[in-house]
Amino acid sequence: MAGTIPRELEQDPVPFVKWAGGKRSIVGELRARLPEQFNDYWEPFVGGGALFFALHKQLRRAHLSDSNAELMTAYSVVQRRREELIERLREHAGRHCKDYYYTVRAQQESADEVAVAARLIYLNRTCYNGLYRVNSRGEFNVPFGKYKNPAIADKANVMACSRALEGVELRACEFSEIKPRRGDFVYCDPPYHPLNSSSFTTYTRGNFTEEDQVRLAGFAARTRNRRVCVMLSNSNTAFIRELYSERGFKLDVVLAPRLVNSRAAGRGAVEELIIRGY
Ligand SMILES: C[S@@+](CC[C@H](N)C(=O)[O-])C[C@H]1O[C@@H](n2cnc3c(N)ncnc32)[C@H](O)[C@@H]1O
């Protein structure tokens, strides 16, 4: 039974999807810059949720959201229907091969949320570079990944993530729809402003444009002015530095390894910004 692992024997959760821009490599840098105290935790671009899963034990109440509706369905299924999800992932694992991958990839949207979550996790674990990308019609279009032993049905981690998500508010929405209150903490990890035109910045239908970056900076400043602690990540470009320094935010440059990139030449450490309004 999936529910029988005693809590004290459980492993610490790590993101159940590998996401472009995942923050696992700089969690230490982010942690070192948290506000000393805060009430609720908000993450409106949650993606793989690396910072949330690293911090979950010290959070009072958390609110996670993302504009990617399938991803938020997966969070909700991990939270509420973990045993059915593990069963479904085991079925995928048992049938996994190149042809099966393309059959699952071609499947249309399903009304069954457990099927939606299992498909997303299965494709994420087995696709090329483990990177989520949809085409202009919103279809997942990444080729097969040729991994020897992909961890498709990672029961211990699904269980640990499910526990971490107990009591957490989950929502599929645009970042500007969240309503943090005074004393809360918001961490924003938006699609990054591109360093060059080949940078990977497409996560959902429609790009996150410079206009969206300006909208986010305005939202961050208004939120900070309501005495909410706001921290953001972004790439270290002149455009982003100006957006936030002119609004009075503090900027720190940190080095982050870049793992998700289709060209090997684009891998390696890059500078990025941690931006704070406190
Ligand atoms: C850089 S990723 C987040 C990475 C994440 N912090 C992690 O550790 O894996 C950016 C996320 O923003 C989401 N997103 C893009 N546009 C958005 C919008 N307008 N509002 C909310 N989320 C958005 C994408 O679906 C994607 O999951």
Side-chain angles (χ1 to χ4, degrees):
M1 280 273 297
T4 53
I5 301 173
R7 207 162 208 166
E8 61 279 13
L9 295 182
E10 260 176 26
Q11 66 177 46
D12 287 332
V14 293
F16 60 86
V17 284
K18 184 175 159 199
W19 217 242
K23 283 284 126 13
R24 276 181 77 183
S25 59
I26 62 154
V27 158
E29 299 278 7
L30 295 169
R31 253 195 143 122
R33 291 170 177 80
L34 294 177
E36 266 171 38
Q37 280 187 1
F38 55 90
N39 297 329
D40 287 15
Y41 176 85
W42 298 77
E43 216 188 313
F45 298 88
V46 70
L51 186 61
F52 164 76
F53 285 116
L55 296 182
H56 78 277
K57 281 187 188 143
Q58 65 193 78
L59 303 177
R60 254 177 42 173
R61 182 160 164 71
H63 310 257
L64 308 180
S65 55
D66 196 287
S67 60
N68 185 322
E70 279 196 4
L71 175 68
M72 295 318 297
T73 297
Y75 269 91
S76 163
V77 168
V78 170
Q79 183 190 52
R80 298 177 296 108
R81 302 179 68 178
R82 59 194 178 204
E83 283 154 43
E84 292 158 90
L85 174 65
I86 290 163
E87 269 313 299
R88 204 67 73 92
L89 287 172
R90 284 187 172 147
E91 279 169 39
H92 283 312
R95 300 173 69 184
H96 177 58
C97 67
K98 190 171 177 181
D99 285 350
Y100 183 71
Y101 172 88
Y102 285 106
T103 307
V104 174
R105 199 185 81 163
Q107 281 164 2
Q108 299 297 314
E109 277 168 38
S110 161
D112 171 356
E113 60 174 11
V114 179
V116 170
R119 175 176 177 271
L120 183 134
I121 295 171
Y122 168 66
L123 294 176
N124 181 268
R125 288 297 163 119
T126 55
C127 72
Y128 182 75
N129 254 348
L131 101 88
Y132 181 95
R133 185 171 55 199
V134 292
N135 63 19
S136 55
R137 290 189 299 280
E139 296 155 353
F140 179 86
N141 64 352
V142 181
F144 182 69
K146 293 189 192 140
Y147 297 101
K148 264 227 166 84
N149 241 329
I152 297 164
D154 183 350
K155 173 178 164 182
N157 191 51
V158 169
M159 294 297 294
C161 290
S162 183
R163 297 271 204 217
L165 289 167
E166 277 171 17
V168 169
E169 185 203 22
L170 302 169
R171 208 179 147 195
C173 68
E174 230 282 300
F175 70 83
S176 55
E177 293 174 52
I178 67 164
K179 300 264 182 298
R181 288 170 294 264
R182 182 182 178 144
D184 287 354
F185 170 54
V186 180
Y187 171 58
C188 297
D189 181 22
Y192 282 10
H193 183 239
L195 293 171
N196 55 58
S197 56
S198 72
S199 290
F200 177 72
T201 49
T202 308
Y203 297 89
T204 49
R205 271 174 268 187
N207 286 331
F208 201 80
T209 60
E210 287 194 349
E211 249 168 56
D212 292 318
Q213 298 288 1
V214 174
R215 221 161 42 82
L216 174 59
F219 169 81
R222 286 191 304 279
T223 304
R224 179 222 27 216
N225 294 346
R226 291 193 290 109
R227 307 278 178 85
V228 175
C229 294
V230 182
M231 177 165 82
L232 308 98
S233 298
N234 215 316
S235 46
N236 185 14
T237 65
F239 174 76
I240 296 294
R241 286 196 301 272
E242 194 180 319
L243 267 187
Y244 288 93
S245 50
E246 72 185 10
R247 290 172 171 82
F249 282 81
K250 281 184 219 155
L251 308 183
D252 292 338
V253 177
V254 297
L255 270 183
R258 263 291 141 82
L259 299 174
V260 173
N261 194 312
S262 48
R263 284 176 309 122
R267 295 171 201 233
V270 285
E271 287 185 351
E272 54 179 75
L273 294 174
I274 298 180
I275 303 162
R276 275 175 300 159
Y278 50 92

